[in-house]
Amino acid sequence: MSGSRVLRRVLVANRGEIAVRVIRTCRRLGIETVLTVSDADAWSLPARLADRVIRIGPAAAAASYLNVDAVVGAAIAASVDAVHPGYGFLSENARLARACAAAGVVFIGPSPQTLEATGDKLAARDHAVAAGLSVLPGGHVTPAGGKAAADTVNEAADPRAAVPAAEVASRIGYPCWSRRAGGGGGRGLRVVRDPAELAHAVAVASAEAAAAFGDPRVYLERYVEHGRHVEVQLLGDGEHVIHLGDRDCSVQRRYQKLIEEAPAPGLGDDLRERLRAAAVALGERLRYRGAGTVEFLVDADRREFYFLEVNARVQVEHPVTEAVNRQSTSSPSSSRSPKAGPCG
């Protein structure tokens, strides 16, 4: 990896389990840690483990852990070499990544360009297709009689790509499902089996996405009845990308994962290798840096798979992959050259 930098002091911009794991890994690597905390976490386990603690705001996450200026200000005040965002909060925030770069601080994660490409699900689909991956038939839609959300939310998006939902549904067939263009956590997902349900489903999905993420854009895709949710763990340094195997997360409740199993059972060697190769191909196109996950929907009947999205961060379920590979995905060195061997 060109331009590599020795990290001696890292700011951990998170709390709870992931903060503990990062701090312990840094300690093992001889790296000093600085932890940002809200008032509610001043006496937490991560705060007791870190070498230094900086308060960045009150208990409310919006005024502390989600405050980009406060996090970057703490990084500058503590003269850290890097910021590790963990998962959730600002982990996929391109503004934080840019602010770190402007301050001369390493952001342990993807580049701002990659975060923008993966954070917009429509843009991520385009990158997946360009990398040779299959996507479910579908497209960006507008509610019946509504304007393309791209006109008001994302000027970079092409409003011509948004067409009436009924037109897309007619082309791809039923059942279909609505998905939000931005954000995550299962918000905006609605399965539609009857044309009479479509307008309401898209309107509700758009409203949920707008309320949760400030982005009402919605797209429709063909719904796979007997699908499995399989994801591939990636590590990259911006030049090279490797995979650390796959996980099955098909057991879910309300689109929230309940059980993760690695490696994913019952795929067969050919399908497994194609899944992993596809994930690496997309990571290489994105010049991916850090730990990330490419999610796929596997059609169990046809033995085919389709790209769903990229989680451009270490995930809550990363310990499952760590247990199988004995390799840390929360280490500051997980954004260094994966050709160098184990990273923590």
Side-chain angles (χ1 to χ4, degrees):
M1 179 180 178
S2 61
S4 60
R5 176 175 172 181
V6 176
L7 304 183
R8 295 184 173 86
R9 182 180 300 157
V10 170
L11 183 137
V12 183
N14 216 295
R15 63 184 179 187
E17 181 265 356
I18 188 60
V20 169
R21 293 179 72 88
V22 173
I23 291 169
R24 284 176 173 168
T25 301
C26 285
R27 177 180 296 174
R28 180 163 53 83
L29 295 173
I31 300 172
E32 183 183 349
T33 55
V34 179
L35 179 72
T36 54
V37 299
S38 72
D39 290 342
D41 299 306
W43 300 102
S44 64
L45 176 58
R48 296 197 299 272
L49 292 175
D51 295 298
R52 180 180 174 186
V53 174
I54 297 180
R55 176 191 173 276
I56 56 171
S64 52
Y65 296 106
L66 291 172
N67 187 331
V68 172
D69 294 335
V71 170
V72 175
I76 295 172
S79 299
V80 302
D81 300 300
V83 170
H84 196 311
Y87 50 64
F89 294 134
L90 297 172
S91 61
E92 296 178 87
N93 189 291
R95 183 183 164 219
L96 174 61
R98 282 201 169 87
C100 285
V105 175
V106 174
F107 177 78
I108 300 176
S111 68
Q113 294 78 14
T114 299
L115 290 172
E116 289 170 345
T118 57
D120 186 316
K121 303 299 186 292
L122 292 169
R125 273 173 58 99
D126 291 340
H127 281 287
V129 171
L133 280 63
S134 296
V135 298
L136 289 164
H140 180 197
V141 301
T142 59
K147 290 185 177 181
D151 291 337
T152 57
V153 176
N154 185 357
E155 293 178 358
D158 182 1
R160 294 171 298 177
V163 299
E167 182 178 326
V168 174
S170 177
R171 173 167 54 85
I172 66 177
Y174 292 88
C176 57
W177 67 342
S178 64
R179 304 191 67 204
R180 72 281 177 274
R187 301 291 182 89
L189 296 178
R190 287 287 187 280
V191 178
V192 182
R193 301 182 182 279
D194 189 305
E197 304 169 353
L198 181 63
H200 176 71
V202 171
V204 171
S206 179
E208 284 186 356
F213 309 110
D215 184 348
R217 290 177 301 148
V218 171
Y219 61 102
L220 291 182
E221 286 182 334
R222 179 184 295 162
Y223 182 69
V224 177
E225 290 281 7
H226 304 293
R228 290 175 56 189
H229 196 155
V230 178
E231 53 195 22
V232 177
Q233 179 73 56
L234 297 182
L235 284 182
D237 65 2
E239 297 176 10
H240 311 101
V241 178
I242 62 171
H243 72 78
L244 294 182
D246 46 78
R247 301 185 294 259
D248 188 294
C249 50
S250 302
V251 179
Q252 301 182 11
R253 179 177 182 271
R254 297 180 179 177
Y255 304 109
Q256 299 297 307
K257 302 167 187 175
L258 296 178
I259 297 175
E260 291 267 346
E261 184 174 357
L267 290 181
D269 292 341
D270 177 67
L271 181 56
R272 190 184 309 278
E273 288 307 311
R274 286 193 289 132
L275 271 167
R276 293 174 173 182
V280 170
L282 179 55
E284 290 175 341
R285 173 176 172 78
L286 293 169
R287 298 182 64 83
Y288 198 85
R289 186 180 70 205
T293 303
V294 182
E295 300 195 1
F296 296 96
L297 186 65
V298 177
D299 189 328
D301 295 330
R302 298 182 180 182
R303 307 294 293 173
E304 294 293 339
F305 61 89
Y306 306 93
F307 168 78
L308 284 178
E309 63 186 29
V310 177
N311 297 128
R313 52 176 166 73
V314 66
Q315 286 191 280
V316 176
E317 54 267 34
H318 67 275
V320 177
T321 289
E322 292 183 357
V324 172
N325 290 275
R326 297 184 180 180
Q327 183 153 335
S328 174
T329 56
S330 57
S331 167
S333 55
S334 63
S335 61
R336 307 242 180 126
S337 176
K339 285 190 171 183
C343 58

Short mmCIF file of all heavy atoms in Angstrom, two decimals, residues 191-214:
data_model
loop_
_atom_site.label_atom_id
_atom_site.label_comp_id
_atom_site.label_asym_id
_atom_site.label_seq_id
_atom_site.Cartn_x
_atom_site.Cartn_y
_atom_site.Cartn_z
N VAL A 191 -43.05 -5.82 0.90
CA VAL A 191 -43.33 -6.81 -0.14
C VAL A 191 -44.73 -6.53 -0.69
O VAL A 191 -45.69 -6.36 0.07
CB VAL A 191 -43.27 -8.24 0.42
CG1 VAL A 191 -43.62 -9.26 -0.66
CG2 VAL A 191 -41.87 -8.53 0.98
N VAL A 192 -44.83 -6.47 -2.01
CA VAL A 192 -46.11 -6.16 -2.67
C VAL A 192 -46.50 -7.36 -3.55
O VAL A 192 -45.76 -7.74 -4.45
CB VAL A 192 -46.00 -4.90 -3.54
CG1 VAL A 192 -47.35 -4.58 -4.17
CG2 VAL A 192 -45.50 -3.73 -2.72
N ARG A 193 -47.66 -7.94 -3.27
CA ARG A 193 -48.12 -9.11 -4.02
C ARG A 193 -49.28 -8.81 -4.94
O ARG A 193 -49.59 -9.60 -5.83
CB ARG A 193 -48.50 -10.23 -3.05
CG ARG A 193 -47.35 -10.66 -2.15
CD ARG A 193 -47.75 -11.81 -1.24
NE ARG A 193 -46.65 -12.18 -0.35
CZ ARG A 193 -45.63 -12.96 -0.70
NH1 ARG A 193 -45.60 -13.47 -1.92
NH2 ARG A 193 -44.67 -13.23 0.15
N ASP A 194 -49.90 -7.68 -4.72
CA ASP A 194 -51.10 -7.33 -5.49
C ASP A 194 -50.96 -5.91 -6.01
O ASP A 194 -50.57 -5.00 -5.27
CB ASP A 194 -52.34 -7.44 -4.60
CG ASP A 194 -53.64 -7.32 -5.36
OD1 ASP A 194 -53.82 -6.31 -6.08
OD2 ASP A 194 -54.48 -8.22 -5.26
N PRO A 195 -51.28 -5.67 -7.28
CA PRO A 195 -51.18 -4.31 -7.83
C PRO A 195 -51.95 -3.27 -7.02
O PRO A 195 -51.54 -2.10 -6.96
CB PRO A 195 -51.76 -4.45 -9.25
CG PRO A 195 -51.50 -5.88 -9.60
CD PRO A 195 -51.67 -6.65 -8.32
N ALA A 196 -53.03 -3.71 -6.38
CA ALA A 196 -53.84 -2.77 -5.60
C ALA A 196 -53.09 -2.27 -4.38
O ALA A 196 -53.44 -1.22 -3.80
CB ALA A 196 -55.15 -3.44 -5.18
N GLU A 197 -52.07 -2.98 -3.95
CA GLU A 197 -51.31 -2.61 -2.76
C GLU A 197 -50.11 -1.72 -3.08
O GLU A 197 -49.47 -1.16 -2.18
CB GLU A 197 -50.80 -3.87 -2.05
CG GLU A 197 -51.87 -4.87 -1.66
CD GLU A 197 -51.27 -6.20 -1.20
OE1 GLU A 197 -50.03 -6.35 -1.33
OE2 GLU A 197 -52.03 -7.06 -0.74
N LEU A 198 -49.78 -1.60 -4.36
CA LEU A 198 -48.52 -0.99 -4.75
C LEU A 198 -48.39 0.47 -4.33
O LEU A 198 -47.39 0.87 -3.71
CB LEU A 198 -48.32 -1.11 -6.26
CG LEU A 198 -47.01 -0.53 -6.79
CD1 LEU A 198 -45.82 -1.29 -6.22
CD2 LEU A 198 -46.99 -0.60 -8.33
N ALA A 199 -49.37 1.31 -4.68
CA ALA A 199 -49.25 2.74 -4.41
C ALA A 199 -49.07 3.02 -2.93
O ALA A 199 -48.22 3.82 -2.53
CB ALA A 199 -50.48 3.47 -4.95
N HIS A 200 -49.85 2.33 -2.10
CA HIS A 200 -49.76 2.53 -0.66
C HIS A 200 -48.40 2.06 -0.14
O HIS A 200 -47.76 2.76 0.68
CB HIS A 200 -50.88 1.78 0.05
CG HIS A 200 -50.80 1.87 1.55
ND1 HIS A 200 -51.06 3.03 2.24
CD2 HIS A 200 -50.46 0.93 2.49
CE1 HIS A 200 -50.90 2.81 3.54
NE2 HIS A 200 -50.53 1.55 3.72
N ALA A 201 -47.93 0.90 -0.61
CA ALA A 201 -46.66 0.35 -0.14
C ALA A 201 -45.50 1.28 -0.47
O ALA A 201 -44.62 1.53 0.37
CB ALA A 201 -46.42 -1.02 -0.76
N VAL A 202 -45.48 1.82 -1.68
CA VAL A 202 -44.40 2.72 -2.09
C VAL A 202 -44.46 4.02 -1.30
O VAL A 202 -43.42 4.55 -0.86
CB VAL A 202 -44.46 2.99 -3.60
CG1 VAL A 202 -43.48 4.09 -3.99
CG2 VAL A 202 -44.15 1.72 -4.38
N ALA A 203 -45.67 4.54 -1.09
CA ALA A 203 -45.82 5.79 -0.34
C ALA A 203 -45.34 5.62 1.10
O ALA A 203 -44.63 6.48 1.64
CB ALA A 203 -47.27 6.25 -0.36
N VAL A 204 -45.71 4.49 1.74
CA VAL A 204 -45.30 4.25 3.13
C VAL A 204 -43.80 4.03 3.20
O VAL A 204 -43.12 4.56 4.09
CB VAL A 204 -46.05 3.02 3.70
CG1 VAL A 204 -45.46 2.62 5.04
CG2 VAL A 204 -47.53 3.33 3.85
N ALA A 205 -43.26 3.27 2.24
CA ALA A 205 -41.82 3.02 2.22
C ALA A 205 -41.04 4.32 2.06
O ALA A 205 -40.03 4.55 2.73
CB ALA A 205 -41.47 2.06 1.09
N SER A 206 -41.53 5.19 1.19
CA SER A 206 -40.87 6.47 0.96
C SER A 206 -40.92 7.35 2.21
O SER A 206 -39.93 7.99 2.58
CB SER A 206 -41.52 7.19 -0.22
OG SER A 206 -40.92 8.44 -0.46
N ALA A 207 -42.05 7.35 2.88
CA ALA A 207 -42.21 8.16 4.09
C ALA A 207 -41.30 7.65 5.21
O ALA A 207 -40.68 8.43 5.93
CB ALA A 207 -43.67 8.14 4.55
N GLU A 208 -41.20 6.33 5.35
CA GLU A 208 -40.34 5.75 6.38
C GLU A 208 -38.88 6.08 6.12
O GLU A 208 -38.14 6.43 7.03
CB GLU A 208 -40.52 4.22 6.42
CG GLU A 208 -41.80 3.75 7.07
CD GLU A 208 -41.84 2.24 7.20
OE1 GLU A 208 -40.89 1.58 6.70
OE2 GLU A 208 -42.80 1.73 7.78
N ALA A 209 -38.47 5.95 4.86
CA ALA A 209 -37.09 6.24 4.51
C ALA A 209 -36.75 7.71 4.73
O ALA A 209 -35.67 8.06 5.20
CB ALA A 209 -36.83 5.86 3.05
N ALA A 210 -37.70 8.59 4.40
CA ALA A 210 -37.49 10.03 4.59
C ALA A 210 -37.36 10.37 6.07
O ALA A 210 -36.50 11.16 6.47
CB ALA A 210 -38.63 10.82 3.96
N ALA A 211 -38.21 9.76 6.89
CA ALA A 211 -38.19 10.04 8.32
C ALA A 211 -36.91 9.53 8.99
O ALA A 211 -36.36 10.18 9.87
CB ALA A 211 -39.41 9.42 9.00
N ALA A 212 -36.45 8.36 8.53
CA ALA A 212 -35.29 7.74 9.18
C ALA A 212 -33.97 8.27 8.66
O ALA A 212 -33.00 8.40 9.41
CB ALA A 212 -35.35 6.22 8.99
N PHE A 213 -33.91 8.58 7.35
CA PHE A 213 -32.62 8.91 6.74
C PHE A 213 -32.61 10.23 5.97
O PHE A 213 -31.59 10.60 5.40
CB PHE A 213 -32.19 7.78 5.80
CG PHE A 213 -32.24 6.42 6.44
CD1 PHE A 213 -33.17 5.49 6.05
CD2 PHE A 213 -31.35 6.09 7.44
CE1 PHE A 213 -33.23 4.25 6.65
CE2 PHE A 213 -31.39 4.85 8.05
CZ PHE A 213 -32.34 3.92 7.66
N GLY A 214 -33.75 10.91 5.91
CA GLY A 214 -33.80 12.17 5.18
C GLY A 214 -33.76 11.99 3.67
O GLY A 214 -33.47 12.94 2.94
#
